[in-house]
Amino acid sequence: MKKPLILQSDFGTADGAVSAMYGVAYGVSEALNISDLTHEIPQYDIWEASYRLIQTVSYWPEGSVFVSVVDPGVGSTRRSIVVQTKNGQYIVTPDNGTLTHVKRIVGLEKARVIDESVNRLPNSGESYTFHGRDIYAYTGARLAAGIITFEEVGPEVPAESVIELPVVEATYDGEKASGTIDVLDVRFGSLWTNIPRELFKNLGVSHGGRVEISIENETRTLYKNILVYAKSFADVYVGEPLVYVNSLDCMAVAINQGNFSRAYNVGTGTNWRITIRKAPRIIYDD
């Protein structure tokens, strides 16, 4: 039985790159069911590629095959791999950190290096700049179509050897929860942090309560305010900021019907730190 094939890249859709990947996959089997995760990853942004995978992978059926191509090292000695997650999905990708969040949060069962002598688009051996088409889309399609098994991808390597990007762990020190702003809810500009809801619960704040948040970029504080901890956006006025639990069960910051990132020039990555503490009652209660 053929499995879903899901594509992700930083190619955009302004030219024919993504269409070429589709063409290669359908050349393997016209019966494939191909979907797009996104092709709007910022150029070369491996961190965001990793985050979009963890946002999505676990919701797809066992056996689904993801192809993720954000590959600033194309043509270098970095490995081309396929991994099997603990939940049974497969991810075809360069081994460059793209699997950071899936490895840490879901877990990797096994990993194999792609044998390019077998799993490479025929007559593409002289091309070194479009591995997304020639190796990843081709191998992913063969795996999804059942033409090859996972074992036929290539030699097995330890799952522990799969490369991870540096990560700053969220912490709780008895007074405040601290973490990083990992990524944006792109269309709406909400800030998605790496602070899990379970860690936030240590603050003892219920829905409707208030928290003090502070956002820093290295040594400079860019934003500090008292916000409502809301169950949903409807709990606050239009234009009012709030803290809420996002779809990954982590804490997020937003403006109701606004764009928090744009309003306060807040970016993402491990150098963007956020601290959340319970707001002192004297500040908001009379």
Side-chain angles (χ1 to χ4, degrees):
M1 178 182 293
K2 293 173 175 55
K3 300 295 185 180
L5 179 65
I6 305 98
L7 306 180
Q8 169 175 278
S9 75
D10 59 351
F11 298 158
T13 54
D15 65 12
V18 172
S19 183
M21 292 173 68
Y22 267 77
V24 166
Y26 281 129
V28 170
S29 172
E30 293 184 11
L32 282 170
N33 180 10
I34 307 176
S35 300
D36 295 314
L37 194 167
T38 180
H39 296 290
E40 303 303 328
I41 300 292
Q43 293 96 321
Y44 319 119
D45 194 336
I46 298 167
W47 177 268
E48 180 147 340
S50 174
Y51 209 94
R52 297 308 172 198
L53 282 173
I54 194 60
Q55 186 181 357
T56 310
V57 165
S58 294
Y59 296 98
W60 283 80
E62 182 178 352
S64 297
V65 178
F66 286 77
V67 172
S68 180
V69 189
V70 178
D71 194 13
V74 63
S76 71
T77 58
R78 61 95 185 95
R79 300 186 297 186
S80 296
I81 61 173
V82 182
V83 299
Q84 181 184 39
T85 74
K86 292 286 187 181
N87 294 336
Q89 298 92 358
Y90 298 98
I91 306 173
V92 185
T93 187
D95 185 20
N96 59 8
T98 294
L99 294 164
T100 298
H101 289 90
V102 171
K103 181 179 179 183
R104 291 173 58 84
I105 297 171
V106 174
L108 304 182
E109 189 69 29
K110 295 179 180 178
R112 291 182 176 273
V113 174
I114 297 173
D115 181 353
E116 296 182 23
S117 68
V118 178
N119 295 305
R120 184 181 179 117
L121 181 67
N123 302 315
S124 68
E126 297 303 316
S127 173
Y128 300 100
T129 59
F130 200 174
H131 288 177
R133 176 195 64 196
D134 300 335
I135 299 172
Y136 302 130
Y138 184 70
T139 302
R142 282 161 60 83
L143 186 59
I147 293 172
I148 59 170
T149 65
F150 179 55
E151 289 71 26
E152 292 174 304
V153 164
E156 186 171 3
V157 293
E160 296 76 20
S161 72
V162 172
I163 290 173
E164 296 180 62
L165 299 172
V167 172
V168 176
E169 298 284 0
T171 60
Y172 175 69
D173 65 2
E175 177 188 357
K176 61 186 181 297
S178 301
T180 56
I181 300 170
D182 276 359
V183 75
L184 300 181
D185 183 358
V186 177
R187 190 168 180 83
F188 302 103
S190 305
L191 315 181
W192 283 20
T193 80
N194 70 335
I195 300 173
R197 177 177 56 86
E198 287 298 314
L199 192 69
F200 174 84
K201 283 168 61 176
N202 290 314
L203 299 179
V205 179
S206 302
H207 287 127
R210 297 189 179 249
V211 294
E212 178 186 277
I213 75 162
S214 177
I215 297 173
E216 300 177 355
N217 183 2
E218 296 176 330
T219 59
R220 191 160 64 97
T221 299
L222 283 91
Y223 183 86
K224 190 171 186 178
N225 202 359
I226 306 297
L227 275 62
V228 174
Y229 170 41
K231 192 171 185 178
S232 71
F233 285 68
D235 292 345
V236 301
Y237 294 111
V238 172
E240 184 178 354
L242 66 146
V243 174
Y244 68 102
V245 178
N246 69 14
S247 59
L248 293 179
D249 208 30
C250 288
M251 307 312 298
V253 181
I255 296 174
N256 186 15
Q257 298 186 35
N259 188 307
F260 195 103
S261 173
R262 188 182 303 142
Y264 297 103
N265 295 313
V266 176
T268 63
T270 54
N271 62 320
W272 287 89
R273 306 296 177 91
I274 183 168
T275 299
I276 309 175
R277 71 180 77 213
K278 187 173 184 178
R281 292 179 61 87
I282 190 171
I283 291 178
Y284 64 91
D285 280 350
D286 293 327

